[in-house]
Amino acid sequence: MTSSAAADAAKEGFSIRQRRRSGQALEGAMHCVFLVCGLSAVASVAFICIHVAVSGWPIIAKYGLDFLLGQSWNPGNSQFGVLPMITASVAATAAAMVVALPSGVLAAVFLAKIAPDRVSAVLRTFVDLLSGIPSVVYGLLGAILIVPKIFKIQSAAGLPAGGSLLAAAIMLAIMILPTIISVSETALRAVPKQYEDASLALGATKLQCVFKTTIPAAKSGITAGMALGIGRAAGEAMAVMMVAGNAAIMPSLLKPARLLTASIPIEWAYSSGVHREALYGIGLVLFVFIMALNITVRRIMKKGAGQGE
Amino acid sequence: MKKAIAILAALLMAASLASCANTPADAAQPALSGTVKTGGSTSVESVMTALIYQFQENNRSVTVNYEMNGSGDGIKNTISGLYEIGHSSRELKTDGSESGLDAVAYAIDGIAIIVNKANTTQTLTKDQVKGIYTGAITSWSEVGGQDALITVVTREEGSGTRSAFAEIIGLEKSGDDSTAIVSYAAVSDSTGAVQTTVSQNPDAIGYISFSEVDANQVNTVQYEGVTVSSDSLKDGTYKLKREFYLVTKQGATLTPAAQAFKDYVLGTDGQKIVGEKKLLPIK
């Protein structure tokens, strides 16, 4: 027995060593594969950054503040002021936030703290579905359902009926709801149970506990959800283009508005020369805007993680 | 399973052999082959797609590409030699930037002024259209329609339809507000988008290629008392119209396939297709 056991052991040792050697080769190969995959993401981002910056810069260099702060967009007459679009983008995003943030956070509270597990599981599925709907479908529904509803308000206000900033803001609010709900819900669920227990033990009602303890404790997560929502809203083009009316004028809630994102697809096909450079310039402005948002989100999330420790 | 795959493979091979055998036989008489690179105006889409389809049916070995990127790019890429034939829905500019090219008109397209089905306005004069698009006229009641503010819908900057419309109506590109399209006009980025917007908004007005008008969606308005139709285009009474052009380099010899395509478009068969697309054939 001893001799055969020894032989087995030796054999096993050999095979393990052999396996280890081939394993190392595989390990090395896979290391390379992962490295390439990882680098490809970095390379894509670097390429996009450089491309957008290089192609967007000339118009800004040429027109300077007239580009960023000019109020008149009239490419045929060499006027390339994008202030109307910047303000329209900011206004639409802000208005969408005003609607989506409170309702999103309250929905998250319901899902995380109030609804029975089974109900919240069903609701969560619907929220996820909402985030999966393609933006062009949102755009279609918005153009058919939301825009005509605003006609009456517009005519009451003495304005011509049509697409409006308000319609765009409502669309965006619906589109960013799922982001805000799911991120906020995760944040609310991550609040340590002791906090709530302590709050309840001190005699707080359930609602007091949620509003005075849980939400403040989940603040950084909710802020991150908000920032992600802002990012999505600011970057949305298709749906907005279909409901906003796209006139490049300084924004007003019931008047048509052209957002930064929509400007590019609307005019791309027929643009050429300086006009096309200006569209690249808009791309650059948008890119910087969204990058700044992303960096803010990361900061907030890091800060939140730091607080947790 | 393997047997099934083998049979399938054999069938596929037989089919591909058969198609190899067919193609040369079909293309035998004209003996044309190759790829014709063309591109430009999107307004000519429906007629050009039909022309290309039929031309390729007749000449199985020829492929005609058509990149839809606008008249401006069509002309520019013809100058640079990227396209053998460029599509333009506007005349060549005379400022020297588009010299060295030949433009041959092959169709006349009416620009229809469209309003919502519920709109009672029947007719508009040139001055009224101009007034509406410059913002001097803001209510339908001023032009014999309902008591509602007019929603002006226009095409995006750079569109061939927009530039043709603006030129005929007398809307200048200059910053002078009295002749420029109002800044608050809603902008739609395609013929279809204008039509959809107008069909959904009872107070909207827009302009699109007559060949693309869908009478189920929108009404056309008389321009200077004339209804847009194939007849009024033909007898010349409808004045809001522009031509579609094939643009080629001056003095350059086209490849046989490109020449054949050009001849086809201007020939009897091609012109018949032009007529079928609610356009007025040039011949």
Side-chain angles (χ1 to χ4, degrees), chain B residues 172-216:
Chain B
E172 301 296 329
K173 275 182 175 174
S174 73
D176 181 3
D177 283 346
S178 63
T179 54
I181 293 179
V182 285
S183 61
Y184 58 78
V187 179
S188 292
D189 67 330
S190 69
T191 302
V194 173
Q195 188 150 242
T196 311
T197 305
V198 172
S199 73
Q200 279 167 0
N201 187 337
D203 304 329
I205 183 169
Y207 55 89
I208 60 173
S209 162
F210 171 58
S211 60
E212 308 285 344
V213 171
D214 177 0
N216 294 317

Side-chain angles (χ1 to χ4, degrees), chain A residues 53-277:
Chain A
V54 166
S55 41
W57 184 249
I59 186 84
I60 298 180
K62 205 182 293 174
Y63 286 81
L65 285 180
D66 283 345
F67 181 74
L68 294 173
L69 299 178
Q71 295 198 12
S72 174
W73 175 263
N74 189 355
N77 199 30
S78 297
Q79 288 176 306
F80 299 101
V82 295
L83 192 64
M85 300 161 200
I86 296 176
T87 44
S89 270
V90 172
T93 310
M97 236 354 141
V98 168
V99 180
L101 187 64
S103 52
V105 170
L106 292 183
V109 167
F110 180 73
L111 286 176
K113 299 293 166 193
I114 298 171
D117 282 351
R118 213 182 284 166
V119 176
S120 72
V122 172
L123 284 180
R124 205 171 302 122
T125 314
F126 279 97
V127 172
D128 290 344
L129 279 177
L130 196 62
S131 69
I133 298 173
S135 56
V136 63
V137 175
Y138 277 112
L140 274 176
L141 290 177
I144 293 165
L145 298 176
I146 298 176
V147 172
K149 292 274 183 301
I150 300 173
F151 286 174
K152 272 186 195 144
I153 310 175
Q154 284 169 324
S155 65
L159 292 167
S164 59
L165 185 69
L166 179 62
I170 295 173
M171 287 286 326
L172 289 175
I174 299 170
M175 292 181 76
I176 60 179
L177 255 184
T179 311
I180 293 178
I181 294 176
S182 51
V183 176
S184 307
E185 192 199 345
T186 313
L188 290 170
R189 283 188 187 274
V191 172
K193 186 134 195 327
Q194 300 94 297
Y195 289 15
E196 287 164 9
D197 288 345
S199 156
L200 292 171
L202 287 170
T205 64
K206 185 148 194 184
L207 275 184
Q208 281 173 328
C209 170
V210 164
F211 283 103
K212 305 265 179 190
T213 310
T214 319
I215 291 182
K219 204 170 61 187
S220 69
I222 293 174
T223 318
M226 185 175 109
L228 283 174
I230 293 177
R232 173 152 198 218
E236 177 54 43
M238 194 53 174
V240 160
M241 194 171 119
M242 294 168 82
V243 299
N246 304 320
I249 49 175
M250 293 303 279
S252 162
L253 208 52
L254 291 174
K255 287 184 186 168
R258 179 171 319 173
L259 277 64
L260 278 173
T261 42
S263 306
I264 301 172
I266 285 175
E267 293 186 358
W268 184 259
Y270 284 96
S271 66
S272 57
V274 189
H275 187 186
R276 184 155 280 196
E277 276 177 24

Side-chain angles (χ1 to χ4, degrees), chain B residues 2 43 90 237-238:
Chain B
K2 264 187 187 162
S43 300
R90 62 165 170 81
T237 47
Y238 191 78

